[in-house]
Amino acid sequence: DRSTGGGDTLNTTNRRHRLDAIVHSVAWAPPDAMKEGTLLDTTRKSFGLAHDASSYSLLLLARHALPLMSARDDENVNISGTSSSITALSYLGSTRAVPNYNIMGPAKASLESVVRGLALELGPSPHRIRVNAVSSGPINTMAAKGIRGFSGMREDSEQRSMLRRNVTADEVGDAVAFLAGATGITGQTLYVDGGYSSVAGPRLCHHE
């Protein structure tokens, strides 16, 4: 039941177990708002569905996982050195206008805003949960198949990024693992895109 937050299955009744880290890797929009349409033509229904699946789902995840992630009073630990981690996967389209990214741009912007809000609410005791986002370069995933011209996005990233290549899924995973253990970082979006997000102007030509 989406309206109440109930029914989305995550058993949090057994407090003997603990979740140290969770990764939110959910994004979806109806085809009529992506490959078959434009941002301007997005219907109210498709707008809501995209935000529900791609952004509100992070709130649901955090809400249901909270009993297993929050620091407990009986934990004999150094408060400053322990915390759980929630990391959401995002993309540059949250802050830049990317051709064909359509409604996913606003949905990812919403996701990153939720990340910051949850970080503020869940950071202090009794929860001590850090919330961050990793914004990766374009990677071939099932979700990427729904983006028109995705191969062109990868080609542009390879040609213009500072590393002159696309990042790998393993490199994104390394960044997520880093954030899971980086106890002083929260409310941030970490870019793992080979420096693509920091480049502007004409493509640099190297002359021999």
Side-chain angles (χ1 to χ4, degrees), residues 45-99:
K45 180 179 179 180
S46 292
F47 185 97
L49 288 171
H51 281 73
D52 184 55
S54 307
S55 178
Y56 182 71
S57 57
L58 178 59
L59 289 176
L60 277 180
L61 179 69
R63 186 182 306 153
H64 285 288
L66 191 62
L68 293 178
M69 300 191 78
S70 293
R72 297 193 288 272
D73 293 336
D74 59 351
E75 287 180 334
N76 184 22
V77 294
N78 181 352
I79 291 179
S80 64
T82 184
S83 58
S84 298
S85 168
I86 299 174
T87 306
L89 299 186
S90 190
Y91 178 64
L92 183 61
S94 64
T95 60
R96 308 285 179 85
V98 177

Side-chain angles (χ1 to χ4, degrees), residues 141-163:
T141 63
M142 289 299 296
K145 297 181 184 299
I147 303 173
R148 187 171 63 248
F150 181 75
S151 60
M153 293 168 61
R154 283 183 55 83
E155 291 173 6
D156 190 66
S157 175
E158 182 176 2
Q159 293 172 5
R160 294 175 58 84
S161 71
M162 295 176 181
L163 295 181

Side-chain angles (χ1 to χ4, degrees), residues 11-157:
N11 184 2
T12 59
T13 59
N14 191 341
R15 294 293 300 275
R16 291 178 299 173
H17 301 290
R18 176 184 173 89
L19 285 174
D20 294 313
I22 287 182
V23 179
H24 176 276
S25 181
V26 180
W28 181 82
D32 65 85
M34 294 299 294
K35 273 194 171 181
E36 302 169 8
T38 65
L39 178 60
L40 181 63
D41 294 330
T42 304
T43 64
R44 183 187 297 270
K45 180 179 179 180
S46 292
F47 185 97
L49 288 171
H51 281 73
D52 184 55
S54 307
S55 178
Y56 182 71
S57 57
L58 178 59
L59 289 176
L60 277 180
L61 179 69
R63 186 182 306 153
H64 285 288
L66 191 62
L68 293 178
M69 300 191 78
S70 293
R72 297 193 288 272
D73 293 336
D74 59 351
E75 287 180 334
N76 184 22
V77 294
N78 181 352
I79 291 179
S80 64
T82 184
S83 58
S84 298
S85 168
I86 299 174
T87 306
L89 299 186
S90 190
Y91 178 64
L92 183 61
S94 64
T95 60
R96 308 285 179 85
V98 177
N100 301 320
Y101 205 52
N102 298 2
I103 191 57
M104 285 309 303
K108 288 296 189 181
S110 173
L111 175 71
E112 291 183 16
S113 182
V114 170
V115 163
R116 293 187 293 271
L118 286 177
L120 179 65
E121 291 185 1
L122 300 180
S125 295
H127 305 305
R128 301 204 301 273
I129 299 173
R130 293 171 293 105
V131 190
N132 294 287
V134 168
S135 182
S136 78
I139 293 178
N140 282 317
T141 63
M142 289 299 296
K145 297 181 184 299
I147 303 173
R148 187 171 63 248
F150 181 75
S151 60
M153 293 168 61
R154 283 183 55 83
E155 291 173 6
D156 190 66
S157 175

